[in-house]
Amino acid sequence: MQAPPFLLGLTGGIGSGKSTVSAIFAERGAAVIDADAISRATTAAGGSALPAIAAAFGPQLIGRDGALDRAAMRALVFQDAGHRARLEAIVHPLVAQETDRQTRQAVVEGRPMIVFDVPLLVESGARWRSRVDRVLVVDCDPDTQIARVQARNGLPREEVERVLRAQAARAERLSAADIVVANGNGVTLHALQQQVRELATRFGL
Ligand code: ADP
């Protein structure tokens, strides 16, 4: 019988380099499960959460493009924390279902490793930590995170800082790490790739 895949939780702040790291593991044959993409898909056009959202909050929450009207939902949630809880009670089980489906598929495919790319892994407390064998943190100083995100999408600095403040602090994330990949100021893309490839080799990929 085939050994079960190694379950690696991958996290890091916005712009730390998670996508770059997960792409390298994917090149080496790991299955990558992207928690944010799964969550977004549930409320995109035709998404599995939309019928329940329309039933709970009203059909006006669904935009003309058939996707969740994010601005309208944000306004509702902002008004009342109870709305957030109701929304999460709809979305979370669907995300868990799809995550389980992708996990089973990776097992059937005989993947040696499954990488769970979860930006808010540390923030989620025990929920994710208990599901993975090891937690890998991509570590980066905030100034470099801000510069990378700005270069990527041209957001104003204050906006990126706001996202950073809403995420776990660097020290908190590091204290949850079993493995740290350094990708801060002065680390070139090449050096990052080298670190991750060595790690992948150590994991037998
Ligand atoms: P995350 O997925 O954590 O938000 P990304 O992997 O998308 O981060 O990286 C953010 C941006 O920074 C991307 O445009 C990526 O190419 C770039 N980047 C990541 N690491 C480095 C590095 N060491 N040197 C230069 N650019 C980098």
Side-chain angles (χ1 to χ4, degrees), residues 12-21 148 152 183-184 187-189 192:
I14 184 172
S16 59
K18 290 178 300 298
S19 314
T20 311
V21 170
R148 284 194 193 133
R152 186 172 58 186
N183 192 33
V187 179
T188 62
L189 261 181
L192 172 68

Side-chain angles (χ1 to χ4, degrees), residues 49-62 86 90:
L50 296 179
I53 289 175
F57 300 100
Q60 75 283 2
L61 264 294
I62 312 300
R86 274 207 285 167
I90 293 169

Side-chain angles (χ1 to χ4, degrees), residues 17 22 27-30 51 55 67 73 111 121 198:
S22 68
E27 267 170 28
R28 293 289 193 95
M73 192 73 235
R111 302 290 192 129
L121 186 146
E198 275 166 22

Side-chain angles (χ1 to χ4, degrees), residues 5-9 25 28 30 112-113 115 133-136 178-179 181 195-205:
F6 188 86
L7 307 181
L8 184 69
F25 281 114
R28 293 289 193 95
M113 179 190 273
V115 176
D133 295 315
R134 292 282 185 280
V135 172
L136 185 158
D178 299 305
I179 306 160
V181 166
Q195 274 187 85
V196 179
R197 287 191 182 126
E198 275 166 22
L199 202 54
T201 302
R202 268 203 275 143
F203 274 118
L205 294 179

